[in-house]
Amino acid sequence: MRGTHLGEFEELVLLAVAALNDNAYAVVVKSEIEEKADRKVNISAIHTALYRLEEKGFLESSVGGATKTRGGKSKRFFKVTAYGFKSLREAQSLRQSFWSVIPQLSTQE
């Protein structure tokens, strides 16, 4: 396992995989991020992040069956590990602790 630091883009990818549940593969992760974050992303950046997150232990993957629509190629499906969910909760908690101490924001609705 490499470092355990979770970068901003990695966090988005991890959140997208979590949201997609059992249907998380690179193309739909890309679509989810583009839709929810209103951010254009390159498919190779998604692949790189998915494999890096798997190497760090935040994700695990399995290969699905080949389909005719994909020219006989299989999809690699990803799912968040317990460690990945723990890291997401810690990231959320850290961000919230910062947001809560910003005077201008914590007193406004």
Side-chain angles (χ1 to χ4, degrees):
M1 224 187 306
R2 271 183 20 188
T4 57
H5 175 74
L6 191 59
E8 187 254 346
F9 184 69
E10 289 178 324
E11 185 177 347
L12 283 177
V13 171
L14 199 54
L15 287 166
V17 171
L20 290 164
N21 201 13
D22 290 334
N23 193 36
Y25 59 97
V27 172
V28 294
V29 169
K30 176 185 184 297
S31 296
E32 188 77 1
I33 291 171
E34 288 180 343
E35 180 186 323
K36 297 280 192 303
D38 194 26
R39 175 177 174 169
K40 273 299 234 189
V41 292
N42 186 305
I43 192 68
S44 62
I46 297 292
H47 280 287
T48 300
L50 288 168
Y51 294 128
R52 186 172 50 240
L53 287 165
E54 186 173 27
E55 189 176 311
K56 289 180 176 183
F58 297 122
L59 294 175
E60 58 188 23
S61 68
S62 61
V63 178
T67 61
K68 282 187 178 184
T69 58
R70 293 179 42 85
K73 290 175 63 178
S74 301
K75 293 178 187 173
R76 179 167 293 277
F77 290 93
F78 292 86
K79 70 181 215 179
V80 181
T81 63
Y83 180 59
F85 279 115
K86 178 179 182 273
S87 297
L88 281 174
R89 283 190 296 276
E90 288 173 358
Q92 181 185 32
S93 177
L94 174 64
R95 291 182 193 286
Q96 188 55 46
S97 72
F98 274 102
W99 281 108
S100 68
V101 297
I102 300 172
Q104 299 88 338
L105 296 175
S106 61
T107 59
Q108 294 177 355
E109 285 296 313

